[in-house]
Amino acid sequence: MEITPVAKCMFFAFFLLFLEATTVKCSVTYDRRAIVIDGQRRILLSGSIHYPRSTPEMWEDLILKAKEGGLDVIDTYVFWNVHEPSPGNYNFEGRYDLVRFIKTAQKAGLYVHLRIGPYICAEWNFGGFPVWLKYVPGISFRTDNEPFKRAMKGFTEKIVNLMKSEKLYASQGGPIILSQIENEYGPQAKSLGAAGHQYATWAANMAVSLGTGVPWVMCKELDAPDPVINTCNGFYCDTFSPNQPYKPTMWTEAWSGWFTEFGGPIHERPVQDLAFAVARFVQKGGSFVNYYMYHGGTNFGRSAGGPFITTSYDYDAPLDEYGLLRQPKYGHLRELHRAIKLCEKALVSADPTVTSLGSLQEAHVYSTKSGGCAAFLANYDTKYMARVYFNHMHYNLPAWSISILPDCRNAVFNTAKVGVQTSQMEMLPTSTQIFSWEAYTEDLSSLEDNSSTFGLLEQLNVTKDASDYLWYSTNVDISSSESFLHDGKLPTLVVQSTGHALHVFVNGQLSGSASGTRENRRFTFKGKVNLRVGSNKLSLLSVAVGLPNVGGHYETWNTGILGPVALLGLDQGKLDLAWAKWTYQVGLKGEALNLISPNSVSLVDWMQSSVVALNQQPLTWHKVYFDAPDGDEPLAFDMSSMGKGQLWVNGQNLGRYWTAYAVGNCNKCSYPGTYRPPKCTEGCGKPTQRWYHLPRSWLKPENNLLVLFEELGGDPTRITLVKRSVTNVCADVSEYHPNIKNWHLESYGEPEVFHKPKIHLRCSPGKQISSIKFASFGTPLGTCGSFTQGPCHAPSSYAILDKMCIGKERCSVAISNSNFGEDPCPNVLKKLSVEAICA
């Protein structure tokens, strides 16, 4: 039977109507209590995962782990500089495929908060702004400036229209329920006065006019005009209130840890304190919490900002840089989320009644008209536990903790009592052997004269951030009569730089290096230089280590060598070189030849590895081929034998490496009390970053090309490829640990059966518990990795754990006297501590 064109058109029209009818559109509004989705107030738990800081092959796994961790929402910034690298030219491919990332969240059944900015901070290069924006005539960033507002509006419209075209807003049936315009603008608005206020108002009105059908927010912006919601960022937000009584209380960045800078220690935030901060926010009426970060990921390429931000953006997040569960942080927060969700109906239905339970203790009670009740019992004392009396019952509250009672009787969770396992990660050798290194050293005698001028130029104005590197070169003439040639007292070169690092070469030989820090970008090099009679070539390699991402009008900040530059100790005294004739070369010869590409690697003559090991020259390119290792564990290169540079695999830039040793005060960390980054640090005296993430999706089975550029002169033959894996798992749980299974709403806090708490141990997929390193039911002491038996110990502890766990990927053991034969110490509160080996 022949189908006519008219019939085809009618069928297609009906098909489109069917698709339209099956698209579930959401109404997203808000009131003073919460975000309202399809008429229902919601307590929303969110986590930041930045799509460019991982790979598309990782996205689904990360998002599903976030969902399993109890999240409702995935939060991400939008990164202007990667999407519009040059005006009007857009890139939404690979790691920058924003639409694919959002659809991955949608597939998992999660909502999305799209933080367009387009200023994002985020320890990202130039705060997310493309560098070309700096050179738009008449521009001034983030103020009432027409060129900036025109560019910002253009990009914001581009993103909103892209989302609309893919039907990704909730009003179209998509997952996006919130959007953010600008970012942490409050401090800058205050410093700019009227111009700042006018710009913030304009930005808010511009965003709302785009008609997304979902609410807009502005974080850390007290003046956010209606209907935009102002929100809080910080380590704690329990004292925050929105600027209007009809707006919900939202926490857009609950900082799960802190970023790392080269030369600094690693910052950790105890999960007990993070859970306490979240519970404290929710007990006071907060209804939206976003963890910044939930997965931090990796600053691939030259994307790290700061400057001096490390390539790792791990952030001590619940999912580590490689996407593995950070335990106990991930599991403890998951239990917190389950407890909060049990209270959701009460939390969104009423205001709390606050009752004092002691000098530093109080209860927040939420009661519904239908008789529901939820309570949060808080102990703000940083030193002592408290025994409080509430609702005709006694409760023990550890210091700096909150217990959650979904029925106002049974405590199902306490922020300080961690009942989930602790996982110890290690970097283990892989089967891959890396041999046959070859090297090519930059030829300083052939530096190209890209431009020359009398005087010194600001680095970014010359490079436009096309490279981290800029050569400043000049000639110095030395007379044969100079005294230092005879008495051996070499002259001193003084170079003042505005950032970030510097290598000094005299006649092609390295004379010394210097660098600044994130806090003090400016620095001065001062060192003896070996000059000869006649003309001497002075070559200064200025190195950027990420562009600034925060600060008032940081687009005006300088990078590079602006002087003074002078020679001291000559017969004439001081020789000022600042206004000499300088020539400039942007980047390295190896960059110009594209030596990172498998197609271009043969353009130069490479030296064999036997020579490489003996001659650790600065400014050297190294290459080697290697095969991918077996397995599916995350991979990384151990770069501890190298100095400073960048590395690539199959043309993909893994990032900057720098074996800078951490300076700090790494004292033992205790969770009670207000958290700040210096409080809990580790790694002092060790390289800030040793391992550099290599995504498996970037590898072929065989013949992968690793290229690195070394600025200082390390030993590439000692570089190894390692895999990240769980080696030990621990649990440490008391016999009366809060248990969510003991709560039943129907029986109002009177469970039919008391469920004993359990320890749960789990190795990575493909691994099994091979041995029990420690087991004690009684009063064991210490923490994971350093458990010891206490005065009370059940002799059967090891035998029971062996029987229940050996040879299994996961196991659970109930904490009860009957499980261990008999009570080893009657009338004493006992616990079970276990450490198991995964293999």
Side-chain angles (χ1 to χ4, degrees), residues 518-635:
R518 182 173 172 272
E519 290 72 24
N520 297 291
R521 302 183 311 280
R522 296 175 179 270
F523 64 92
T524 300
F525 169 86
K526 189 174 184 179
K528 300 292 184 180
V529 288
N530 192 8
L531 302 176
R532 64 196 179 197
V533 175
S535 180
N536 292 265
K537 183 71 170 291
L538 174 62
S539 301
L540 308 178
L541 182 59
S542 181
V543 186
V545 191
L547 299 182
N549 57 265
V550 65
H553 287 297
Y554 64 78
E555 77 273 15
T556 65
W557 296 2
N558 293 323
T559 303
I561 303 164
L562 294 180
V565 178
L567 275 170
L568 309 179
L570 300 178
D571 289 348
Q572 72 181 68
K574 175 182 176 182
L575 176 60
D576 187 353
L577 298 174
W579 290 100
K581 184 179 181 180
W582 291 87
T583 61
Y584 299 87
Q585 176 182 300
V586 175
L588 308 164
K589 184 176 180 180
E591 289 180 305
L593 293 173
N594 197 29
L595 293 184
I596 65 171
S597 169
N599 299 324
S600 306
V601 76
S602 61
L603 296 178
V604 298
D605 294 326
W606 296 84
M607 290 190 302
Q608 294 302 310
S609 58
S610 58
V611 183
V612 174
L614 295 174
N615 298 280
Q616 296 183 21
Q617 295 293 320
L619 304 191
T620 300
W621 296 83
H622 301 274
K623 76 176 177 76
V624 72
Y625 289 91
F626 68 97
D627 295 338
D630 297 332
D632 58 3
E633 301 97 334
L635 301 175

Side-chain angles (χ1 to χ4, degrees), residues 47-126:
S48 291
I49 300 176
H50 293 162
Y51 53 98
R53 284 176 158 145
S54 54
T55 64
E57 293 78 10
M58 295 171 66
W59 291 345
E60 184 171 26
D61 180 64
L62 294 173
I63 288 169
L64 289 175
K65 285 174 178 173
K67 181 178 182 179
E68 177 65 21
L71 299 191
D72 309 292
V73 183
I74 299 298
D75 167 294
T76 186
Y77 281 128
V78 178
F79 297 75
W80 188 356
N81 61 345
V82 305
H83 291 308
E84 194 177 4
S86 60
N89 296 309
Y90 295 97
N91 181 4
F92 291 94
E93 302 296 324
R95 288 187 294 116
Y96 310 144
D97 191 343
L98 176 60
V99 168
R100 177 178 171 182
F101 179 77
I102 294 173
K103 287 185 176 180
T104 304
Q106 182 180 28
K107 178 184 174 183
L110 296 180
Y111 298 120
V112 171
H113 178 199
L114 192 66
R115 304 175 72 187
I116 297 176
Y119 167 69
I120 61 171
C121 185
E123 292 72 56
W124 190 260
N125 197 55
F126 220 43

